[in-house]
Amino acid sequence: MNFEPFILSFKLASLTTFILFLIALPLAWYLSQTRSKSKPFIEALTALPIVLPPSVLGFYILWALSYNSPIGAFLENNFDIKLVFSFSGLVVASCFYSLPFMVQPLQNGFESLNKNMLEASYIAGKGKIETIFKVALPNMKPALATALIITFAHTVGEFGVVLMVGGSIPGETKVASVAIYEMVEIMDYKAAHIYSAIMLGISFVVLLSVYLFNAKQTRRFGL
């Protein structure tokens, strides 16, 4: 039993979740507070990975990171960074693929907050950053937990995007979902069953954790 693909999947999911939290927090806050006419456009752009086939998204990310694109050529020529078929490339691709799973729960959480509470924070002299971290986030723990856990779980289960961008390099880009696909290809169904069962168990535990946490918060605050 080789656990390396699982370790790589968890490493990828952890880094992706951390990076996306830093990116999605200000974006979700802006979307929850703005009345700009551009809001629907930004929301649609953010949610695009949900409806796009992973192969389509993976192809465009692969092209954008390759040497044939201006971005890929710039990174390779100036910083000697090659993102295609590397773990770093997987992190970049995963951030695009899992972005809506971080942004949408946070945005919903911000929008559900009592506006008077936020205004009271501003009146008390707190800035936006202090209001977000000391007032908003502590009062939207279910949304925060949902965003973090679902993003992590979604990244662990990625297949199409990571296969196109990273391929299947053992110890570098061969995550658990890719390993299962290869086992099925060579008809090693016993190993595929074991790996799939582990992934199934992880997914169930993650979702159960979200629902239990949210139910506990609901009982606690009597909502």
Side-chain angles (χ1 to χ4, degrees):
M1 185 69 186
N2 181 16
F3 288 100
E4 189 175 58
F6 290 101
I7 295 174
L8 198 61
S9 292
F10 296 148
K11 180 182 175 182
L12 175 63
S14 299
L15 280 173
T16 299
T17 302
F18 175 74
I19 294 171
L20 278 182
F21 178 73
L22 299 180
I23 295 172
L25 187 64
L27 177 58
W29 174 260
Y30 170 77
L31 291 174
S32 69
Q33 303 299 308
T34 186
R35 295 182 180 179
S36 171
K37 293 181 179 179
S38 64
K39 178 180 177 180
F41 176 79
I42 299 174
E43 288 178 322
L45 195 62
T46 303
L48 204 55
I50 296 178
V51 297
L52 267 182
S55 56
V56 174
L57 183 61
F59 168 73
Y60 280 114
I61 295 175
L62 177 63
W63 175 82
L65 300 182
S66 70
Y67 189 77
N68 294 324
S69 77
I71 298 174
F74 174 78
L75 291 174
E76 189 168 339
N77 291 332
N78 293 277
F79 303 100
D80 196 28
I81 297 176
K82 298 179 181 180
L83 294 177
V84 175
F85 303 118
S86 69
F87 181 79
S88 298
L90 288 189
V91 174
V92 174
S94 298
C95 286
F96 279 104
Y97 189 50
S98 296
L99 179 63
F101 296 90
M102 180 68 77
V103 172
Q104 291 184 357
L106 289 178
Q107 182 183 346
N108 293 336
F110 285 137
E111 290 175 346
S112 67
L113 292 173
N114 189 323
K115 301 301 180 183
N116 294 329
M117 179 174 60
L118 299 179
E119 290 175 3
S121 176
Y122 293 139
I123 293 173
K126 294 181 173 64
K128 287 186 178 180
I129 296 178
E130 195 173 4
T131 297
I132 291 173
F133 283 97
K134 292 188 177 182
V135 179
L137 290 180
N139 286 281
M140 48 175 274
K141 290 180 181 179
L144 179 60
T146 299
L148 294 174
I149 296 174
I150 295 300
T151 300
F152 182 89
H154 184 258
T155 306
V156 169
E158 285 182 47
F159 172 68
V161 172
V162 295
L163 181 62
M164 292 195 70
V165 176
S168 179
I169 305 173
E172 180 73 17
T173 63
K174 188 176 180 179
V175 295
S177 57
V178 175
I180 294 171
Y181 172 75
E182 291 184 346
M183 291 170 187
V184 174
E185 270 197 323
I186 63 175
M187 293 186 285
D188 186 356
Y189 296 126
K190 181 179 180 180
H193 273 302
I194 296 174
Y195 274 60
S196 297
I198 294 174
M199 292 292 286
L200 178 62
I202 292 172
S203 300
F204 177 77
V205 169
V206 166
L207 290 175
L208 181 62
S209 300
V210 172
Y211 286 119
L212 288 176
F213 180 82
N214 289 346
K216 182 179 179 181
Q217 293 296 312
T218 300
R219 291 193 299 269
R220 180 180 176 183
F221 293 102
L223 299 176

